[in-house]
């Protein structure tokens, strides 16, 4: 267990700035997801923490001690790669023992550790197999066992679920969270998949173009995005963004309420021409064009996606135009130029 | 308009008819395979069968007809000559030594070339030079380097006081690299390694670069040092490629006679003789085609079995 802290961490590749002054501090035993699109610098950040790359400037601290310049061998950071990177010519047993053998751990301790870790991950019956004979889920467990066996201070996960089949991914997510709750090892979890980040992490650090956008709990990120990037990146479908001139109004798809069902103060009320309706089991999605209620709808009617959680069919069909309102408590405003979150404007827009 | 060739207008002209024939899989297949089959038959199968025929006859350059078959007489005669045992020993010894040196050096060179450093391109180009150089040109260079009177290597050794009066290696000023049995064999091994190293390195490097980088990084994070990564991760992953590299270089070295013919001509006596060069001397220079063929065929069964075993091993290690 440990506290990871990065201070003004920067990494250049030639002229390209891959990581641009990132400050993250974890709590002890916390699982922090680093969420960002591909090319955002999250992998570089992770590789610097693991010791595979050195920062251009800034510092990385584990429990207050700087680990910059310390060889990965001597940093007690374990990593699980996206591909799991199992050694194909070794049995599962030798794969798991490899970090112990490399660190010249005595034989009897190796055996105890192996028993302990295979018990936790329930892979006792796989020990004599070759990695090529394992399923995706089994490979993931072996990779986790190999990372866990050396008692690391810090775990670094590189999209460990994205190479699994979609059917077992949610199960694997649950198991990963259970493993973390049991071991209480501080974990940095790098992913581009917001479902993984929202579902797994205690807190999420959103990163884009090398810079940290927001750090917060999944609920904070969803309900109160700090800027337009977070608003557009977190949530599926993303937050609807409507240009009001000086400011942008953001509203989640589920925050649009048909006018006749609404009560209380409305931040905005818009006429939406429904183009298409999708049934997704527990919810409906409606795709539409805003026809009235905000400025400049005539030239570029903005597209919106609305979400309705209900069993019965919506009371409207494609082609119809309906009036929806967004309650004041649910509307979020962003500065149109900087993209940063701002307070609601004084005057309500007609 | 119909596009069906059966009902459409009959195609006219030679080209159209050829094109139509080529549409049929049987014709096209035969056309595509033809050149390769002709090549294999003309340059591999015919000479091979001819060699077997010659080795069982008493044909000479003056009378090259395979008419009078003498059974295995040629083989027994060849085996009883003094040169045979020397040539066999040297062929096997030189091949083994060359392969051992190549394995070590190619793996070391691969580790160097797989890394990024300044001037890597230049090193790569210099590295491939021995392979790109014509054999005769290389031999002239080596003949000068290893010359009995004017060898610059001798001169350097004398300057270092290792050679010459008072030197550790005797009072003489020359080592006569190509004029002594073991120095001659050593020189042949050295020059063969020098020539083969680029090819062996390129084969091994291709295998080395196909190892996923994540696997090597994982090993680093797992705490493995340079030698543990080399021997426990890289070399096991290279095993199939190394076996193929050994097989190819072994076949090239054991059948190679140009360096021997240019450097030592098998001498002094037959002390640096190898089987292919001796077969050439017997069969072409002395005109005894039958005995030459017998010598050349001698290693064939051994090589065939070795090649089959190596290929099987390569397949098996690849399975994991």
């Amino acid at each position: 267990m440990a506290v990871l802290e990065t201070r003004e961490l920067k990494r250049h590749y030639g002229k390209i700035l891959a990581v641009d002054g990132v400050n993250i501090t974890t709590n002890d035993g916390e699982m922090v997801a680093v969420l960002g699109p591909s090319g955002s610098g999250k992998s570089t950040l992770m590789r610097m923490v693991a010791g595979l790359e050195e920062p251009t400037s800034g510092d990385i601290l584990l429990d207050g001690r700087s680990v910059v310049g310390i060889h990965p061998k001597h940093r007690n950071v374990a990593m699980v790669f996206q591909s799991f990177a199992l050694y194909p010519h070794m049995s599962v047993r030798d794969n798991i023992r490899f970090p112990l053998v490399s660190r010249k751990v005595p034989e009897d301790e190796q055996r105890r550790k192996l028993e302990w870790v295979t018990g936790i991950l329930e892979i006792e019956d796989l020990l004599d197999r070759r990695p090529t004979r394992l399923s995706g889920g089994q490979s993931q467990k072996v990779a986790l066992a190999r990372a866990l066996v050396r008692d690391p201070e810090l775990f670094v996960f590189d999209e460990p679920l994205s190479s699994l089949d979609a059917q077992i991914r949610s199960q694997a997510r649950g198991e990963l969270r259970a493993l973390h709750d049991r071991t209480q090892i501080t974990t940095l979890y790098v992913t581009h998949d917001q479902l993984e980040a929202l579902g797994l992490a205690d807190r999420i650090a959103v990163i884009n173009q090398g810079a940290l956008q927001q750090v917060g709990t999944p609920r904070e990120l969803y309900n109160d995005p700090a800027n337009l990037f977070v608003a557009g990146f977190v949530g599926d479908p993303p937050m609807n963004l409507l240009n009001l001139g000086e400011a942008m109004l953001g509203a989640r798809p589920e925050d649009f309420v048909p006018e006749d069902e609404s009560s209380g103060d409305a931040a905005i009320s818009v006429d939406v021409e429904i183009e298409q309706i999708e049934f997704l089991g527990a919810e409906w999605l409606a795709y539409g064009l805003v026809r009235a209620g905000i400025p400049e709808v005539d030239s570029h009617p903005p597209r919106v996606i609305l979400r309705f959680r209900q069993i019965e069919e919506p009371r409207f069909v494609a082609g119809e135009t309906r009036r929806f309102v967004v309650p004041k408590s649910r509307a979020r405003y962003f500065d149109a130029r900087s993209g940063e979150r701002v307070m609601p404007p004084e005057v309500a827009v007609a | 308009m119909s596009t069906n060739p059966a009902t459409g207008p009959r195609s006219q002209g030679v080209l159209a008819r050829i094109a139509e024939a080529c549409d049929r899989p049987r014709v096209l297949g035969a056309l595509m395979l033809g050149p390769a089959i002709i090549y294999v038959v003309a340059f591999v199968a015919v000479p091979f069968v001819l060699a077997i025929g010659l080795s069982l006859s008493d044909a000479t350059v003056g009378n090259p007809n395979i008419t009078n078959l003498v059974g295995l007489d040629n083989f027994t005669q060849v085996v009883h000559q003094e040169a045979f045992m020397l040539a066999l020993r040297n062929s096997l010894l030189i091949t083994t030594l060359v392969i051992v040196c190549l394995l070590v050096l190619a793996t070391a060179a691969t580790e160097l070339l797989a890394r990024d450093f300044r001037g890597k391109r230049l090193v790569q180009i210099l590295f491939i030079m021995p392979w790109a150089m014509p054999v005769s040109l290389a031999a002239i260079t080596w003949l000068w380097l290893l010359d009995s009177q004017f060898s610059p290597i001798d001169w350097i050794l004398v300057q270092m006081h290792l050679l010459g009066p008072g030197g550790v290696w005797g009072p003489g000023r020359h080592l006569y690299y190509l004029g002594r049995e073991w120095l001659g064999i050593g020189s042949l091994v050295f020059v063969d390694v020098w020539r083969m190293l680029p090819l062996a390195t390129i084969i091994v490097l291709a295998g080395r670069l196909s190892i996923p980088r994540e696997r090597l990084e994982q090993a680093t994070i797992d705490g493995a040092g340079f030698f543990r990564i080399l021997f426990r991760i890289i070399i096991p992953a290279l095993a199939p490629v190394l076996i193929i590299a050994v097989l190819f270089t072994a076949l090239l070295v054991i059948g190679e006679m140009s360096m021997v013919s240019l450097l030592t001509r098998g001498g002094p006596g037959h002390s640096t003789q190898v089987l292919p060069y001796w077969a050439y001397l017997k069969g072409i220079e002395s005109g005894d085609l039958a005995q030459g063929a017998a010598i050349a065929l001698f290693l064939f069964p051994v090589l065939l079995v070795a090649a089959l075993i190596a290929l099987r091993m390569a397949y098996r290690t690849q399975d994991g």
Side-chain angles (χ1 to χ4, degrees):
Chain A
M1 286 206 275
V3 170
L4 170 74
E5 185 182 351
T6 68
R7 283 188 192 154
E8 287 301 320
L9 201 58
K10 282 190 186 175
R11 168 76 204 199
H12 291 266
Y13 292 108
K15 281 182 185 167
I16 300 162
L17 192 57
V19 172
D20 185 7
V22 168
N23 293 296
I24 297 177
T25 306
T26 71
N27 295 319
D28 196 4
E30 190 180 30
M31 189 180 232
V32 174
V34 177
L35 176 66
S38 53
S40 60
K42 58 186 193 303
S43 296
T44 308
L45 175 68
M46 165 197 76
R47 291 168 62 81
M48 287 193 285
V49 171
L52 294 171
E53 270 170 53
E54 290 299 326
T56 312
S57 66
D59 208 351
I60 303 167
L61 301 110
L62 263 182
D63 274 342
R65 285 172 292 113
S66 173
V67 293
V68 171
I70 295 180
H71 191 269
K73 182 176 182 169
H74 304 295
R75 287 183 201 201
N76 204 359
V77 177
M79 182 158 171
V80 175
F81 282 96
Q82 181 174 0
S83 64
F84 306 135
L86 297 178
Y87 309 127
H89 54 280
M90 293 183 202
S91 67
V92 167
R93 175 181 284 110
D94 288 343
N95 262 281
I96 298 173
R97 278 177 51 213
F98 192 79
L100 303 178
V101 176
S102 296
R103 289 188 164 70
K104 304 195 170 60
V105 172
E107 284 272 345
D108 52 332
E109 199 185 331
Q110 282 187 25
R111 212 169 307 123
R112 264 192 308 114
K113 286 265 175 78
L114 187 74
E115 254 172 54
W116 168 71
V117 81
T118 48
I120 288 183
L121 287 153
E122 298 168 353
I123 49 173
E124 291 97 337
D125 49 336
L126 302 179
L127 285 177
D128 293 314
R129 284 208 217 162
R130 286 295 177 97
T132 42
R133 303 273 183 271
L134 298 179
S135 71
Q138 289 169 333
S139 298
Q140 188 215 19
K141 285 186 170 183
V142 174
L144 284 171
R146 184 176 58 184
L148 189 61
V149 75
R150 45 183 270 210
D151 275 332
E153 291 176 83
L154 180 74
F155 262 144
V156 179
F157 290 159
D158 178 19
E159 315 229 359
L161 298 182
S162 55
S163 46
L164 298 181
D165 290 340
Q167 288 102 321
I168 63 166
R169 215 176 285 172
S170 61
Q171 186 197 343
R173 204 159 62 211
E175 286 171 356
L176 207 57
R177 183 69 218 191
L179 178 71
H180 176 259
D181 291 344
R182 180 164 176 183
T183 57
Q184 290 291 316
I185 296 171
T186 311
T187 302
L188 197 67
Y189 186 107
V190 176
T191 182
H192 71 279
D193 183 342
Q194 49 162 313
L195 260 184
E196 279 180 27
L198 293 170
L200 262 173
D202 296 313
R203 281 192 303 156
I204 300 173
V206 181
I207 185 170
N208 186 40
Q209 295 186 334
L212 201 59
Q213 306 292 316
Q214 186 176 6
V215 184
T217 63
R219 290 178 62 116
E220 282 167 6
L221 255 59
Y222 191 81
N223 289 326
D224 291 297
N227 56 35
L228 282 176
F229 177 79
V230 178
F233 192 70
V234 175
D236 181 29
M239 193 173 241
N240 294 298
L241 297 167
L242 301 172
N243 196 342
L244 306 180
E246 283 290 290
M248 303 276 281
L249 181 143
R252 293 284 172 195
E254 60 272 22
D255 292 336
F256 287 82
V257 185
E259 194 184 33
D260 49 359
E261 294 174 21
S262 74
S263 54
D265 284 351
I268 195 172
S269 96
V270 287
D271 287 341
V272 178
E273 181 190 334
I274 308 291
E275 286 188 313
Q276 189 193 337
I277 298 177
E278 267 178 19
F279 174 60
L280 294 177
E283 62 190 28
W284 298 85
L285 290 184
Y287 298 77
L289 292 170
V290 176
R291 287 298 182 192
I294 57 169
E296 291 176 50
V297 285
D298 300 329
S299 48
H300 302 288
R303 295 188 170 276
V304 289
I305 303 175
L306 319 181
R307 186 190 339 241
F308 305 95
R309 297 166 202 282
Q310 53 193 26
I311 306 300
E312 66 268 29
E313 286 198 41
R315 285 171 295 126
F316 47 82
V317 292
E320 219 174 312
T321 299
R322 286 229 164 201
R323 176 156 286 219
F324 293 91
V325 299
V326 176
K328 260 196 172 143
S329 61
R330 300 302 303 160
R332 303 288 178 262
Y333 295 90
F334 303 90
D335 188 275
R337 229 160 309 141
S338 69
E340 295 300 313
R341 179 85 184 271
V342 292
M343 294 308 287
E346 292 295 314
V347 189
V349 185
Chain B
M1 218 179 102
S2 170
T3 52
N4 188 340
T7 58
R10 219 185 147 77
S11 34
Q12 300 293 315
V14 184
L15 276 179
R17 242 183 264 172
I18 290 174
E20 200 177 302
C22 282
D23 278 344
R24 267 173 272 159
R26 290 178 66 100
V27 178
L28 189 66
L31 274 177
M32 292 294 196
L33 279 176
I37 290 173
I38 292 170
Y39 173 85
V40 169
V41 168
F43 295 107
V44 179
V46 169
F48 183 65
V49 172
L50 209 59
I52 293 177
L54 283 171
S55 72
L56 299 175
S57 76
D58 63 353
T60 61
V61 171
N63 176 24
N65 295 325
I66 309 173
T67 43
N68 187 18
L69 292 181
V70 296
L72 295 175
D73 278 7
N74 288 317
F75 290 91
T76 46
Q77 275 177 31
V78 163
V79 169
H80 286 108
Q81 292 175 34
E82 189 211 359
F84 173 77
M85 285 318 288
L86 280 170
L88 183 66
R89 178 201 73 179
N90 289 343
S91 274
L92 296 178
L93 187 66
I94 289 174
T95 307
T96 311
L97 286 175
V98 167
I99 283 172
V100 170
C101 294
L102 278 181
L103 273 182
V104 174
L105 292 175
T107 309
T110 297
E111 282 311 302
L112 182 71
L113 291 175
R115 269 148 232 273
D116 282 323
F117 55 89
R118 273 185 97 91
K120 183 175 165 179
R121 282 255 172 230
L122 187 68
V123 173
Q124 280 175 332
I125 291 168
L126 289 176
F127 209 81
I128 200 76
M129 286 290 275
W131 187 251
M133 206 185 269
V135 181
S136 51
L137 188 62
I140 291 170
T141 311
W142 282 106
L143 275 175
W144 171 61
L145 285 170
L146 302 173
D147 190 85
S148 57
Q149 295 299 314
F150 306 110
S151 165
I153 302 172
D154 280 352
W155 185 82
I156 290 169
L157 290 177
V158 169
Q159 295 306 307
M160 291 168 71
H161 299 291
L162 292 169
L163 205 61
V168 199
W169 292 336
R173 289 181 157 270
H174 302 287
L175 280 176
Y176 305 108
Y177 298 94
L178 304 177
R180 296 181 184 178
E181 182 176 14
W182 293 109
L183 272 177
I185 290 174
S187 303
L188 286 173
V189 169
F190 193 91
V191 176
D192 267 342
V193 169
W194 172 82
R195 246 171 65 71
M196 294 286 182
L197 189 57
L199 178 72
T201 305
I202 285 170
I203 296 177
V204 177
L205 186 62
R208 171 66 170 74
L209 293 179
S210 71
I211 301 176
R213 200 175 62 153
E214 287 194 349
R215 194 188 298 165
L216 303 174
E217 290 178 342
Q218 177 75 57
T220 309
I221 289 174
D222 281 348
F226 174 78
F227 286 105
R228 192 181 299 276
I229 291 179
L230 181 64
F231 286 106
R232 299 281 284 130
I233 308 292
I234 293 177
I235 290 183
L238 283 181
V241 176
L242 287 179
I243 291 169
I244 296 294
V246 165
L247 179 63
F248 270 69
T249 44
L251 293 179
L252 279 175
V253 172
I254 211 160
E256 139 91 27
M257 55 164 271
S258 46
M259 273 299 163
V260 178
S261 83
L262 289 164
L263 288 178
T264 68
R265 304 190 150 268
H270 281 293
S271 61
T272 61
Q273 191 60 275
V274 291
L275 286 174
Y277 188 55
W278 192 41
Y280 167 78
L281 288 181
K282 273 269 174 208
I284 310 297
E285 303 269 289
S286 318
D288 192 340
L289 278 180
Q291 283 205 5
I295 297 168
L297 279 175
F298 219 93
L299 284 178
F300 175 74
V302 185
L303 293 182
L304 186 69
V305 171
L308 286 177
I309 292 174
L311 286 176
R312 275 189 73 104
M313 272 166 65
Y315 277 124
R316 199 166 298 169
T317 47
Q318 213 157 26
D319 274 355

